[in-house]
Amino acid sequence: MSKTTVMAIIVGLVVLFGGSVWLASTMANSAQVEMSEGAVAVVEEKSYDWGEIKIDGGIVEKVFLVKNEGDEVLKLFNVETSCVCTTAQMAKGEQTSPVFGMHDKSQYVLEVDPGETVDVLVKFDPMFHGPNGVGPISRTVTIETNDVSSPKLSWMLTAMVVR
């Protein structure tokens, strides 16, 4: 075997091993929840436009509601945002989840009883990308559920960041 072939095999094995370790760590940090026919996640508002916001005007917020209209417990988990400038946090009564961002994976699961509503608080920091971070923005927040008909909830947030 030539040196080139041996090196190609070694590099391939390193990449394969590294990818396997990464995938395993990602799966281990994400919540795994069994799906339910009786959990029904209902979201009325799926997008929001903050309009024009000043880059130095501070963090802006929006609250979305998720209601369980089913007859079994709704489970919300694996909250993720599309950019590190945006965070999301769930709240039910006095119970609040950790704050989640773009790269956050967690075992956290919020259980929502039938008839209960959860607030999803989204925050966007227009200054996060620095003084040149002006222009249109589009950010997404996603939350996985155990609802077989809505396994992933998604919200789109937009704005025009100005000086």
Side-chain angles (χ1 to χ4, degrees):
M1 242 189 265
S2 72
K3 283 185 178 181
T4 305
T5 303
V6 170
M7 285 303 292
I9 291 171
I10 291 172
V11 168
L13 289 173
V14 168
V15 169
L16 182 63
F17 178 75
S20 298
V21 169
W22 174 81
L23 183 61
S25 69
T26 299
M27 294 297 285
N29 290 334
S30 298
Q32 303 297 314
V33 174
E34 188 174 317
M35 300 304 279
S36 170
E37 294 279 342
V40 179
V42 175
V43 176
E44 292 182 12
E45 194 176 16
K46 295 184 179 183
S47 64
Y48 185 75
D49 184 359
W50 279 296
E52 205 170 86
I53 56 176
K54 291 195 172 281
I55 193 165
D56 59 357
I59 294 171
V60 293
E61 300 179 355
K62 171 62 180 163
V63 175
F64 293 101
L65 301 177
V66 178
K67 184 174 184 182
N68 181 3
E69 290 190 357
D71 57 10
E72 292 181 21
V73 172
L74 172 68
K75 296 180 181 182
L76 304 175
F77 57 99
N78 292 341
V79 181
E80 205 168 8
T81 66
S82 62
C83 185
V84 290
C85 63
T86 306
T87 61
Q89 183 176 33
M90 300 181 292
K92 179 183 81 166
E94 298 296 315
Q95 181 181 0
T96 58
S97 73
V99 175
F100 298 100
M102 182 176 189
H103 300 292
D104 297 329
K105 292 291 183 186
S106 170
Q107 293 290 323
Y108 185 86
V109 177
L110 181 65
E111 294 190 354
V112 186
D113 290 327
E116 283 188 323
T117 301
V118 171
D119 292 339
V120 178
L121 173 62
V122 179
K123 294 182 180 183
F124 168 70
D125 182 355
M127 189 55 119
F128 183 87
H129 295 288
N132 294 322
V134 295
I137 62 104
S138 178
R139 302 293 182 263
T140 306
V141 174
T142 58
I143 300 176
E144 292 183 45
T145 80
N146 66 325
D147 177 349
V148 294
S149 61
S150 297
K152 190 174 274 194
L153 306 176
S154 182
W155 295 270
M156 176 64 68
L157 298 111
T158 56
M160 177 60 75
V161 180
V162 298
R163 290 191 199 285

